[in-house]
């Protein structure tokens, strides 16, 4: 079986069979390594996937402010959580790189940003096409607005209720 | 840059594995086998195209096909190495399988009435069994093949899917499927329902026993028990079902020579090494001779194992690519199983949840039965390793189930049309 390769090994490397065997071993190790890298790659992707899934559920009781969905989830044909915790600065949009990803076709790629500054929460529109509304009032592009407890925020087809957690009080 | 490629695009790894493997196959003998290069091109083009279609068209889960593409390419390279003709056929079957994958994806999404065809599922499976019974041909001791011209296929493979759909119909509303129109007492209704469920299950199992399909018999029984355990109501009903396995197993052992042989060779294959124990001992020798990194593709002697390209492909992989690759394959199936369970958890419709669970469990159990069999962990029964073994009907069936799983994973959050940027 391996005769041809052996001869080739002899031809190229004067050292003979030993060199050939080392190369063969290296290639075999590489083969196994690549398969495991593939597995690690998938595990990593899955890890990122789960992280984005559970991030909102972990901090629910820690008193962070959060957004609560007003729409009935059952009538929406895309994935959306019941609550989104606002523990840090986040962006909302349709692209996967956002912190809150909502695949609603009425939401822009990067739609809005929520910033946290000196124990207050601000909402900023990042130039969305269909606009961001607070209590029915449309935000201008780049305009920053302070969010108060009980404010209703509307983006795309979705409406959220802003709830100040105990942390800010 | 390199980190970006390797980490973010596992599909590149699949291509890389194929490059190494076909390099082995091309250069193993003089004159060099250049038609292996053609195989490489076809396989890689096929996998990359399908992956791109899934990602670009947003057909739900990307991971499922990614994992399957790795398994598929390892299977094809091994089969091609063992027997080039079978390798070409396997590629053709994979192409058909991928076509079927997309077809079943769209068919499943088109209709939302799959839970209404209960009696149709029962009828179709019985018809398939009867066809096999009448026109069946015996190949390798199992009377389960239908031969048309030069093609042969196994209807029992299709029955797996139909059985899962039937179970989903039943457990959508547990114990409330049959005789709802009659005015009996509720308890009587429940008992009649349960008896009918067991009746359908054991009819399936009876036909399979009749075809001498031990692996698939065990598979059906285990799928049934798992779904019953997860979705059934009533502890005692499950315990009764569990207890029923014992007499079935004892009867099987007493009355069927095949099963007795399997169990005996499992306990002690060494006493009759040239006869009954030949398969399993050759498989063990092959796995043992591979070591950590294997002999190298095309440099071992896996052809000494009987049935190497179907049932014993795992041993061949262990011999030529090493036990590390073997372990990687087990890991890949675990990831596939995990992805399936994650899909199950994310769906709201109960029917689809049960179908997804059944499919996931089917792939998991099938892998366990055959890998456990060839490494002598459990008695050996002939069943295919999903997506790896040679065999058209098995590959096509697996792609149908994958298509259904893909469709289910995409059911809830399909974003249709883009209205703005």
């Amino acid at each position: 079986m391996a005769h041809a390769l052996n001869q080739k090994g002899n031809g190229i490397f004067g050292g003979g069979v030993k060199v050939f065997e080392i190369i063969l071993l290296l290639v075999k190790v590489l083969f196994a390594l690549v398969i495991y890298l593939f597995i690690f790659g998938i595990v990593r992707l899955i890890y990122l996937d789960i992280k984005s899934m559970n991030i909102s559920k972990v901090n629910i009781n820690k008193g962070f402010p959060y957004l609560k969905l007003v729409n009935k989830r059952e009538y929406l044909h895309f994935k959306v959580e019941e609550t989104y915790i606002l523990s840090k600065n986040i962006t909302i949009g349709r692209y996967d790189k956002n912190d809150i990803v909502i695949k609603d076709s009425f939401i822009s790629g990067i739609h809005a940003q929520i910033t946290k500054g000196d124990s207050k929460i601000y909402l900023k529109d990042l130039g969305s096409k269909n606009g961001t509304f607070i209590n029915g009032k449309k935000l201008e592009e780049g305009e920053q607005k302070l969010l108060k407890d009980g404010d209703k925020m509307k983006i795309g087809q979705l409406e959220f209720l802003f709830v100040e957690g105990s942390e800010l009080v | 840059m390199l980190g970006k490629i390797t980490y973010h695009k596992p599909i590149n790894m699949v291509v890389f594995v194929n490059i190494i493997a076909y390099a082995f196959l091309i250069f193993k003998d003089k004159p060099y086998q250049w038609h292996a290069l053609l195989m490489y091109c076809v396989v890689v083009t096929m996998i990359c195209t399908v992956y791109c279609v899934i990602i670009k068209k947003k057909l739900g889960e990307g991971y499922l096909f990614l994992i399957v593409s790795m398994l598929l390419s390892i299977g094809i390279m091994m089969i091609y190495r063992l027997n080039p003709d079978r390798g070409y056929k396997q590629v053709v079957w994979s192409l058909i399988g991928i076509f079927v994958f997309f077809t079943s994806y769209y068919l499943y999404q088109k209709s939302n009435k799959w839970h209404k065809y209960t009696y149709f599922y029962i009828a179709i499976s019985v018809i398939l069994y009867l066809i096999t019974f009448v026109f069946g041909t015996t190949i390798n001791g199992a009377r389960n093949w239908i031969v048309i011209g030069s093609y042969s296929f196994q209807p029992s493979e299709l029955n797996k899917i139909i059985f899962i759909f039937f179970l989903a119909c039943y457990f959508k509303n547990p114990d409330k499927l049959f005789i709802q129109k009659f005015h009996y007492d509720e308890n009587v209704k429940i008992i009649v329902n349960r008896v009918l469920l067991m009746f359908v299950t054991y009819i399936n199992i009876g036909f399979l026993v009749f075809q001498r399909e031990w692996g698939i018999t065990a598979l059906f029984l285990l799928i049934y028990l798992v779904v019953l355990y997860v979705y059934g109501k009533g502890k005692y009903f499950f315990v009764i079902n569990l207890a029923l396995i014992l007499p079935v197993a004892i009867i099987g052992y007493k009355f069927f020579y095949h099963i007795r042989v399997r169990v005996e060779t499992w306990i002690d294959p060494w006493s009759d090494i040239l006869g009954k124990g030949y398969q399993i001992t050759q498989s063990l020798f092959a796995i043992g001779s591979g070591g950590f990194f294997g002999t190298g593709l095309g440099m071992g002697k896996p052809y000494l194992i009987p049935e190497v390209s179907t049932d014993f492909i795992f041993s061949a992989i262990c011999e030529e690519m090493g036990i590390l690759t073997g372990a990687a394959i087990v890991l890949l199936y675990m990831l596939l199983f995990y992805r399936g369970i994650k899909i199950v958890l994310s769906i709201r419709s109960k029917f689809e949840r049960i179908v997804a669970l059944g499919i996931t469990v089917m792939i998991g159990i099938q892998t366990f039965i055959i890998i456990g069999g060839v490494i002598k962990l459990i008695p050996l029964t002939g069943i295919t390793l999903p997506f790896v073994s040679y065999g058209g009907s098995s590959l096509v069936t697996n792609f149908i189930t994958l298509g259904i799983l893909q469709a289910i994973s995409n059911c809830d959050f399909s974003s249709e049309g883009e209205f703005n940027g």
Side-chain angles (χ1 to χ4, degrees):
Chain A
M1 266 295 144
H3 277 183
L5 265 177
N6 279 348
Q7 280 159 13
K8 186 174 150 236
N10 266 324
I12 298 169
F13 313 100
V17 183
K18 270 240 167 89
V19 179
F20 163 73
E21 273 180 358
I22 290 169
I23 291 173
L24 186 65
L25 182 69
L26 284 179
V27 175
K28 285 190 294 197
V29 171
L30 189 68
F31 184 82
L33 201 70
V34 171
I35 295 183
Y36 278 92
L37 271 180
F38 173 79
I39 291 176
F40 295 151
I42 287 193
V43 168
R44 180 177 166 277
L45 289 176
I46 288 174
Y47 164 75
L48 291 176
D49 190 39
I50 299 179
K51 207 173 104 189
S52 69
M53 218 174 84
N54 285 345
I55 203 152
S56 55
K57 285 167 194 157
V58 177
N59 295 323
I60 195 96
N61 290 325
K62 289 194 182 161
F64 284 112
Y66 59 92
L67 293 174
K68 192 173 183 319
L69 186 68
V70 180
N71 305 56
K72 280 249 165 31
R73 233 159 46 125
E74 286 71 33
Y75 300 125
L76 301 168
H77 54 84
F78 45 85
K79 199 156 93 176
V80 59
E81 301 288 335
E82 203 63 60
T83 53
Y84 288 103
I85 307 289
L86 309 172
S87 58
K88 57 182 183 1
N89 296 345
I90 53 162
T91 55
I92 306 173
R94 204 155 34 83
Y95 293 156
D96 290 331
K97 63 182 174 189
N98 292 295
D99 300 288
I100 295 179
V101 182
I102 301 172
K103 301 274 183 195
D104 179 357
S105 39
F106 289 101
I107 291 180
S108 298
I110 304 171
H111 194 105
Q113 187 182 34
I114 293 179
T115 35
K116 233 179 142 177
D118 47 305
S119 75
K120 288 196 171 64
I121 301 277
Y122 297 95
L123 177 69
K124 188 173 161 189
D125 187 87
L126 297 175
S128 62
K129 243 191 184 158
N130 292 334
T132 312
F133 298 86
I134 295 183
N135 298 329
K137 262 182 73 185
K138 190 176 175 184
L139 282 182
E140 294 301 314
E141 185 182 336
E143 187 191 340
Q144 204 160 27
K145 186 129 203 266
L146 179 71
L147 283 175
K148 293 186 293 293
D149 194 36
D151 276 356
K152 280 197 175 158
M153 179 183 116
K154 190 164 184 292
I155 66 171
Q157 305 173 44
L158 300 174
E159 198 168 13
F160 290 101
L161 185 73
F162 175 72
V163 183
E164 267 181 11
S166 53
E167 188 208 40
L168 294 180
V169 179
Chain B
M1 187 67 194
L2 189 70
K4 234 179 181 172
I5 293 170
T6 51
Y7 269 130
H8 292 267
K9 292 258 165 71
I11 191 80
N12 292 333
M13 293 285 140
V14 180
V15 175
F16 202 38
V17 161
N18 276 296
I19 291 176
I20 299 178
Y22 288 101
F24 263 113
L25 290 174
I26 291 171
F27 296 115
K28 75 170 176 183
D29 279 320
K30 259 184 183 164
Y32 299 143
Q33 312 280 315
W34 290 110
H35 43 257
L37 197 65
L38 184 74
M39 280 290 283
Y40 164 78
C41 293
V42 173
V43 169
V44 167
T45 318
M46 174 177 81
I47 286 170
C48 290
T49 315
V50 177
Y51 185 66
C52 282
V53 168
I54 290 176
I55 296 296
K56 292 279 178 220
K57 292 252 174 186
K58 297 211 177 91
L59 306 182
E61 276 277 333
Y63 306 99
L64 280 178
F65 185 78
L66 211 54
I67 299 169
V68 165
S69 66
M70 185 57 125
L71 291 170
L72 191 68
S73 48
I74 290 178
I76 290 176
M77 64 182 75
M78 200 66 227
I79 294 163
Y80 177 74
R81 176 255 172 277
L82 290 164
N83 185 339
D85 283 341
R86 286 192 159 189
Y88 301 139
K89 275 191 190 165
Q90 182 80 349
V91 172
V92 173
W93 279 118
S94 316
L95 289 171
I96 296 172
I98 281 162
F99 174 72
V100 169
F101 167 73
F102 286 117
T103 317
S104 67
Y105 176 85
Y106 284 111
L107 276 183
Y108 190 86
Q109 287 219 321
K110 266 265 181 292
S111 166
N112 50 4
K113 289 179 185 149
W114 292 105
H115 57 280
K116 288 181 182 160
Y117 305 138
T118 318
Y119 296 102
F120 178 71
Y121 296 140
I122 300 174
I124 277 281
S125 60
V126 169
I127 288 170
L128 276 174
Y129 285 126
L130 287 179
I131 288 174
T132 327
F133 177 58
V134 177
F135 302 103
T137 319
T138 308
I139 299 178
N140 299 330
R143 188 189 167 82
N144 54 4
W145 292 86
I146 291 186
V147 181
I148 301 169
S150 57
Y151 295 95
S152 54
F153 70 98
Q154 262 177 304
S156 58
E157 292 279 344
L158 257 178
N159 274 327
K160 291 192 290 197
I161 305 175
I162 297 168
F163 183 63
I164 289 170
F165 271 81
F166 164 73
L167 282 181
C169 287
Y170 184 89
F171 286 105
K172 179 182 53 147
N173 276 322
D175 309 327
K176 288 198 177 114
L177 181 63
F178 303 107
I179 60 157
Q180 286 308 300
K181 283 170 195 152
F182 300 97
H183 298 286
Y184 293 121
D185 189 39
E186 276 305 310
N187 285 332
V188 176
K189 272 186 186 177
I190 287 177
I191 290 170
V192 172
N193 265 299
R194 286 177 175 175
V195 169
L196 283 172
L197 171 72
M198 285 175 70
F199 181 69
V200 174
T201 309
Y202 278 91
I203 274 192
N204 268 294
I205 288 168
F207 273 115
L208 287 168
V209 167
F210 203 73
Q211 295 177 2
R212 311 243 187 288
E213 267 280 17
W214 313 118
I216 295 185
T217 311
L219 183 68
F220 267 62
L221 209 58
L222 288 170
I223 292 174
Y224 169 67
L225 284 175
V226 169
V227 175
L228 180 67
Y229 180 74
V230 177
Y231 290 105
K233 284 182 177 167
K235 258 182 263 170
Y236 295 112
F237 185 53
F238 177 72
V239 172
I240 290 171
N241 274 285
L242 202 60
L244 258 179
I245 290 187
L246 201 65
V248 170
I250 290 173
I251 291 171
Y253 186 79
K254 281 266 180 226
F255 290 95
F256 291 100
Y257 174 72
H258 286 267
I259 294 185
R260 216 160 39 232
V261 169
R262 296 290 163 90
V263 175
E264 275 165 13
T265 53
W266 169 57
I267 292 167
D268 179 22
W270 310 106
S271 59
D272 189 10
I273 196 164
L274 289 174
K276 294 169 193 161
Y278 186 71
Q279 280 190 327
I280 187 75
T281 45
Q282 288 304 316
S283 157
L284 291 176
F285 288 145
I287 294 171
S289 66
F292 281 119
F293 297 105
T295 56
L297 199 58
M299 292 166 195
K301 296 186 179 68
Y303 44 81
L304 292 178
I305 317 168
E307 299 296 328
V308 66
S309 56
T310 54
D311 294 352
F312 285 94
I313 193 144
F314 185 75
S315 325
I317 289 169
C318 281
E319 178 176 355
E320 298 218 313
M321 306 182 198
I323 192 71
L324 284 175
T325 311
I329 284 179
V330 177
L331 276 175
L332 286 173
Y333 280 113
M334 277 167 72
L335 286 177
L336 197 61
F337 186 78
Y338 158 77
R339 277 324 280 184
I341 295 290
K342 171 137 187 295
I343 291 171
V344 173
L345 292 177
S346 69
I347 340 169
R348 281 167 226 153
S349 145
K350 199 165 182 190
F351 174 79
E352 276 158 4
R353 213 187 288 176
I354 301 170
V355 170
L357 181 85
I359 288 172
T360 311
V361 166
M362 184 189 88
I363 293 173
I365 291 176
Q366 207 172 327
T367 312
F368 175 74
I369 288 177
I370 187 62
I371 292 187
V374 299
I375 63 173
K376 205 169 91 68
L377 184 68
I378 55 172
L380 176 71
T381 47
I383 198 166
T384 53
L385 191 57
F387 299 109
V388 178
S389 288
Y390 171 74
S393 24
S394 133
L395 201 61
V396 168
T397 315
N398 286 324
F399 270 112
I400 293 176
T401 57
L402 195 72
I404 293 170
L405 208 56
Q406 190 90 32
I408 291 175
S409 82
N410 206 14
C411 268
D412 268 11
F413 22 91
S414 58
S415 54
E416 296 207 356
E418 306 233 335
F419 300 113
N420 57 13

